[in-house]
Amino acid sequence: MSVNARVEISHRGDVVAEELMDESRRKFINTCLGGVAALGATAFAAVSYPVVRYYLIPPGDKNNKGKINIPLDVLVAGEARFFEFNGTAAVVVKKQDGSLAALSAVCPHLGCIVQWEADRQDFLCPCHAGYFTADGAVISGPPPRALTKIPFTVINGVVTIG
Ligand code: FES
């Protein structure tokens, strides 16, 4: 990197020296600052999305001694419904064949909240690209074990989880 120096003499005869940054140096610094800002925004989005999503989803019936009741007919085949269970994130999936799975939504790697990928019919942990089947088994990535299963029953059209 080079620095250009400009020397001027004012109308009173004083010498005024001004160092000017080379244009390429200025561009380099601006590029670095822009890159840092972009990385920060991406990291923030990756971490905050699951948290925001988790809190936007209704927690279900909390007044049933730690159990969650969900009407069976609100569950759509191929979709997942997230909820709060005993103070943490959980999810129930109605698979394409109509069977259900109730799981902790907390990734066993480092604790991020998984996301349902309806087009792939699996879960993605956005933190380190861990993938799980709809039943919670590890497909790939760093998670050391499956998502924890939560017991549930289906009685008279109501899914009771916990
Ligand atoms: S926290 Fe889920 S893959 Fe790392």
Side-chain angles (χ1 to χ4, degrees), residues 48 67 72 78 87 93 104 125 132 136 138 143-144 147 149 153:
S48 64
K67 296 184 184 295
L72 185 58
V93 180
S104 168
C125 178
F132 303 87
V138 176
L147 297 173
K149 293 184 185 301
T153 59

Side-chain angles (χ1 to χ4, degrees), residues 107-112 114 125-130 132 141-143:
C107 178
H109 181 222
L110 294 178
C112 292
V114 298
C125 178
C127 291
H128 309 100
F132 303 87

Side-chain angles (χ1 to χ4, degrees), residues 70-77 79-81 92-94 100 159 161:
I70 302 174
L72 185 58
D73 59 4
V74 303
L75 301 175
V76 178
E79 295 293 330
R81 185 180 174 98
V92 60
V93 180
K94 188 172 187 180
L100 301 176
V159 183
I161 299 169

Side-chain angles (χ1 to χ4, degrees), residues 87-107:
T88 188
V91 62
V92 60
V93 180
K94 188 172 187 180
K95 293 177 274 184
Q96 300 283 13
D97 65 3
S99 61
L100 301 176
L103 306 162
S104 168
V106 179
C107 178

